[in-house]
């Protein structure tokens, strides 16, 4: 049931970038939906992942641990993870856990992509 | 022989019996030894949630019902870490005496006095306190021989994660001459990833609070690995940075998913009040002074343990004598009332200072704080909630010892009513 609180869509930007957009609440119950979409992107060699979080109203440690997973998985493949458009409530969680020191935050997907490879 | 000498004999006999007793025999053995001084004893252990005192069964005796900590004379003795006299008016006098191991509150012992002794003889009361202290030590050392003492202090079964974690944690309360550390962790029968640790080593007090990501056993395992890595490194003589790095390495090595633990690792120098700390993505501990929260330990920031960051610097803060340092996990401040309002940091700080103004011993203060959080929130715990309060104060340390406020006492309380108190 909790998965219905998060909807996820993906857009591929050739050659190796995917923008994955999540809308809703990202927590231990819903993170698997986002994880499926990002795994599919990684398996299709989209090793540069932009997570568009503008529609995410809530994020707990379940979401944070997925971000760290993806950060590691993309780096291991020579790519990167960039978080885009995070609202104040999500930024606050990233700052409180000091994960903003590790994860790259951008204003928008366009800014994340424009920052180069 | 007077009462004090007879109680010394009882102490000796209890010690002699303790070598071969099984946990199920402890209460009966103590009662048999105490009967030589004409005393009847009932040993009560506090349950994990610290809400009820639960009597240990004795052979051939009916077992009393659990006694609530709040609103009972036994609970007053437990809460204040001070003995309380009940009875009189035709009833036998009974001393309710705190039962501690070191300064860890394990419960109370009820001593029913014979008619022919003076209930207010300070030697008698001190003898009872000493015996209860010995029983506390022996409960602590006997518990691991069998399941009985563990079973008797549970109001319900424990989850696997809780069973694992409680084996790893140090006692809820420990004191030295100038320091008290006291913690509480809820929901105690279904802990997820929270944990705490401390080590009092001469002038240095090491202090750790942890919150592993996730729920249940998965989080419990991550917390256990983190705590063991920190301890092993600390015990090998290495400092805070090395401890954090060891936790990073252990978590990365052990778990394929991103299993991380937020936490604070701190060292307090009891000679000069200097606190050195690393904050790995955790709520900043509070410095409480003169009735308010004056500072947060907000420097020394790094990502959670399990995500290495070689650039981290150690934070520093200087405490003043009698300052309090409060560590907590987000389950405390993010407890949510029915109207959606969060418990929050300022409410937490206010309560600590109110409790201090009331003169509550440190462990009683954290017990009440934890229960206040439980009462505040709408429904059961949705996250682990841990508090660890550190007081850099000789007075606070004294208050965790029975009779600690009366080192030069020459006369006991006067029997003016049914219930008398010391401590």
């Amino acid at each position: 049931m909790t998965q219905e609180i998060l909807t996820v869509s993906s857009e591929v930007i050739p050659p190796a970038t995917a923008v994955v957009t999540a809308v809703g609440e990202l927590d231990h119950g819903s993170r698997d939906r986002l994880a499926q979409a990002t795994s599919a992107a990684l398996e299709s060699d989209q090793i540069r992942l932009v997570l568009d979080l503008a529609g995410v109203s809530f994020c707990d440690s379940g979401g944070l641990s997925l971000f760290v997973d993806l950060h590691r998985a993309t780096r291991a493949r020579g790519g990167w993870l960039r978080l885009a458009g995070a609202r104040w409530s999500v930024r606050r969680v990233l700052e409180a856990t000091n994960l903003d020191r590790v994860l790259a935050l951008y204003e928008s997907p366009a800014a994340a992509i424009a920052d180069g490879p | 022989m007077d009462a004090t000498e007879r109680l010394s004999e009882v102490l000796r006999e209890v010690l002699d019996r303790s070598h071969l007793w099984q946990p199920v025999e402890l209460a009966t053995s103590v009662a048999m030894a105490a009967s030589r001084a004409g005393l009847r004893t009932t040993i009560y252990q506090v349950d994990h949630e610290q809400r009820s005192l639960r009597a240990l069964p004795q052979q051939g005796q009916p077992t009393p019902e659990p006694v609530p900590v709040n609103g009972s004379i036994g609970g007053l003795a437990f809460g204040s870490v001070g003995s309380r006299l009940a009875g009189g008016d035709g009833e036998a006098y009974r001393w309710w005496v705190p039962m501690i191991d070191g300064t860890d509150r394990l419960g109370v012992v009820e001593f029913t006095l014979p008619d022919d002794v003076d209930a207010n003889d300070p030697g008698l009361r001190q003898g009872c306190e000493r015996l209860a202290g010995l029983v506390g030590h022996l409960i602590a050392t006997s518990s691991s021989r069998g399941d009985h003492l563990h079973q008797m202090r549970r109001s319900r079964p424990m989850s696997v994660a809780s069973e694992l974690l409680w084996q790893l944690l140090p006692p809820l309360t420990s004191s030295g001459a100038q320091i008290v550390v006291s913690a509480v962790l809820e929901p105690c029968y279904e802990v997820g990833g929270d944990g705490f640790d401390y080590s009092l080593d001469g002038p240095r007090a090491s202090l750790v609070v942890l919150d592993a990501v996730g729920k249940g056993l998965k989080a419990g395992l991550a917390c256990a690995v983190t705590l063991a890595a920190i301890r092993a490194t600390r015990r090998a003589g290495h400092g805070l940075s090395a401890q954090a790095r060891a936790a990073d390495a252990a978590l990365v090595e052990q778990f394929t998913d991103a299993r991380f633990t937020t936490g604070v690792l701190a060292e307090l120098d009891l000679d000069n009040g200097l606190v050195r700390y690393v904050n790995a993505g955790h709520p900043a501990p509070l410095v409480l002074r003169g009735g308010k929260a004056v500072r947060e330990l907000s420097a020394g920031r790094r990502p959670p343990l399990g995500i290495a960051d070689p650039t981290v610097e150690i934070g520093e803060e200087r405490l003043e004598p009698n300052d309090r340092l409060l560590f907590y996990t987000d389950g405390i401040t993010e407890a949510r009332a029915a109207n959606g309002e969060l418990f929050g940091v300022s409410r937490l700080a206010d309560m600590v200072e109110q409790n201090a103004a009331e003169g509550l011993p440190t462990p009683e203060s954290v017990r009440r704080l934890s229960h206040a959080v439980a009462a505040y929130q709408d429904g059961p715990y949705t996250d682990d909630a841990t508090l660890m309060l550190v007081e850099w104060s000789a007075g606070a340390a004294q208050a965790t010892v029975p009779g600690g406020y009366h080192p030069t006492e020459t006369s006991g309380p006067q029997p003016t009513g049914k219930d008398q108190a010391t401590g």
Side-chain angles (χ1 to χ4, degrees):
Chain A
M1 295 309 116
T2 48
Q3 295 203 350
E4 290 166 12
I5 65 173
L6 188 77
T7 57
V8 176
S9 57
S10 294
E11 182 194 354
V12 175
I13 300 174
T17 304
V19 178
V20 181
T21 303
V23 176
E25 298 189 357
L26 181 54
D27 62 14
H28 286 278
S30 67
R31 58 166 268 169
D32 283 354
R33 169 151 301 197
L34 180 56
Q36 282 161 17
T38 51
S39 295
L42 285 172
E43 279 162 24
S44 332
D45 288 330
Q46 278 111 37
I47 56 171
R48 298 172 191 160
L49 286 184
V50 177
L51 293 190
D52 183 351
L53 301 176
V56 172
S57 56
F58 173 84
C59 174
D60 75 359
S61 59
L64 296 182
S65 64
L66 177 60
F67 297 160
V68 174
D69 260 341
L70 293 173
H71 172 69
R72 287 184 179 155
T74 50
R75 295 224 330 182
R77 289 166 169 81
W80 41 248
L81 171 75
R82 292 175 182 170
L83 306 181
R87 293 187 201 175
W88 179 81
S89 58
V90 175
R91 277 181 184 266
R92 195 180 60 87
V93 178
L94 289 165
E95 285 163 14
T97 51
N98 299 339
L99 281 170
D100 57 338
R101 295 168 65 108
V102 180
L103 302 171
L105 274 67
Y106 291 84
E107 284 300 311
S108 63
I113 294 162
D115 200 23
Chain B
M1 280 202 295
D2 67 10
T4 312
E5 286 168 12
R6 281 186 297 180
L7 271 161
S8 298
E9 287 298 313
V10 173
L11 285 178
R12 205 165 302 153
E13 183 171 339
V14 167
L15 260 178
D16 289 345
R17 286 171 174 266
S18 70
H19 296 291
L20 292 181
W21 74 28
Q22 293 178 17
V24 284
E25 296 162 340
L26 183 148
T28 306
S29 295
V30 170
M32 285 173 66
S35 70
R36 302 198 195 282
L39 298 165
R40 281 187 286 133
T41 54
T42 308
I43 299 171
Y44 290 83
Q45 292 188 111
V46 73
D47 51 19
H48 287 275
E49 59 270 48
Q50 299 189 78
R51 291 185 188 274
S52 296
L53 297 161
R54 296 173 174 273
L56 289 178
Q58 284 177 34
Q59 210 172 25
Q61 300 276 340
T63 304
E65 287 297 308
V67 174
V69 173
N70 292 337
S72 71
I73 187 104
L76 277 176
F78 176 83
S80 64
V81 199
S83 301
R84 304 271 167 162
L85 186 61
D89 290 343
E91 266 187 66
Y93 279 106
R94 303 181 314 279
W95 273 111
W96 287 86
V97 178
M99 178 174 76
I100 54 173
D101 173 41
T103 57
D104 189 30
R105 304 187 302 176
L106 302 185
V108 291
V109 181
E110 181 190 20
F111 292 92
T112 305
L113 309 183
D115 294 338
D116 60 345
V117 301
D118 173 10
N120 289 292
D121 173 1
L124 172 72
R125 177 176 59 75
Q126 286 159 5
C128 289
E129 287 169 351
R130 218 163 273 147
L131 178 55
L134 176 64
V135 172
H137 282 306
L138 294 172
I139 282 186
T141 54
S142 303
S143 282
S144 50
R145 294 183 205 169
D147 287 337
H148 178 73
L149 294 168
H150 294 286
Q151 289 168 323
M152 290 299 112
R153 63 176 297 208
R154 293 181 186 190
S155 61
R156 54 203 172 90
M158 244 181 213
S159 70
V160 176
S162 269
E163 195 72 56
L164 171 76
L165 210 59
W166 283 116
Q167 295 296 320
L168 290 178
L169 299 179
L172 286 182
T173 305
S174 286
S175 307
Q178 306 172 72
I179 186 171
V180 183
V181 184
S182 191
V184 65
L185 203 169
E186 287 284 353
C188 49
Y189 296 95
E190 288 98 23
V191 183
D194 274 15
F196 64 88
D197 192 29
Y198 56 80
S199 176
L200 306 181
D201 299 294
R204 189 181 63 216
S206 303
L207 306 159
V208 179
V209 65
L210 300 170
D211 180 0
V213 67
K215 310 275 181 205
L217 186 56
K218 198 174 165 179
L221 285 169
C223 183
V225 166
T226 311
L227 194 137
I230 290 169
R231 260 191 203 153
T233 312
R234 187 178 73 218
R235 289 175 182 172
H238 301 294
L240 296 174
S241 301
Q243 291 165 32
R245 280 199 302 273
D248 290 338
L251 285 164
V252 169
E253 183 190 310
Q254 200 56 40
F255 303 110
T256 50
D257 53 353
R259 202 82 65 95
F260 59 75
T261 306
T262 74
V264 178
L265 285 66
E267 288 175 358
L268 166 61
D269 187 326
L270 299 177
D271 287 337
N272 58 25
L274 182 68
V275 182
R276 301 174 71 252
Y277 64 95
V278 171
N279 184 336
H282 196 80
L286 303 175
V287 179
L288 302 156
R289 179 178 303 156
K292 38 179 173 306
V294 294
R295 259 196 264 309
E296 291 189 336
L297 301 190
S298 53
R301 295 168 68 81
R302 52 151 286 164
L305 301 167
I307 303 163
D309 181 355
T311 66
V312 68
E313 287 177 12
I314 305 280
E316 289 195 358
E317 182 68 50
R318 179 89 53 176
L319 297 191
E320 292 179 7
N322 304 314
D323 277 357
R324 298 180 182 81
L325 201 51
L326 180 64
F327 299 77
Y328 62 94
T329 61
D330 58 6
I332 295 284
T333 45
E334 290 176 15
R336 198 177 282 275
N339 66 4
E341 195 181 337
L342 299 179
F343 193 80
V345 175
S346 56
R347 197 187 315 263
L348 177 65
D350 287 350
M351 281 188 170
V352 173
E353 291 307 310
Q354 276 167 25
N355 288 347
E358 271 185 58
L360 295 181
T362 316
E364 182 62 8
S365 179
V366 293
R367 184 185 81 89
R368 292 194 193 181
L369 281 167
S370 164
H371 291 178
V373 173
Y376 177 86
Q377 72 188 349
D378 187 31
Y381 286 95
T382 54
D383 192 7
D384 285 11
T386 300
L387 282 168
M388 184 166 76
L389 181 59
V390 180
E391 300 210 46
W392 185 35
S393 156
Q398 279 296 312
T400 59
V401 180
Y405 281 132
H406 305 278
T408 57
E409 187 175 72
T410 51
S411 64
Q414 301 305 306
T416 53
K418 279 186 83 126
D419 301 333
Q420 299 281 321
T422 71

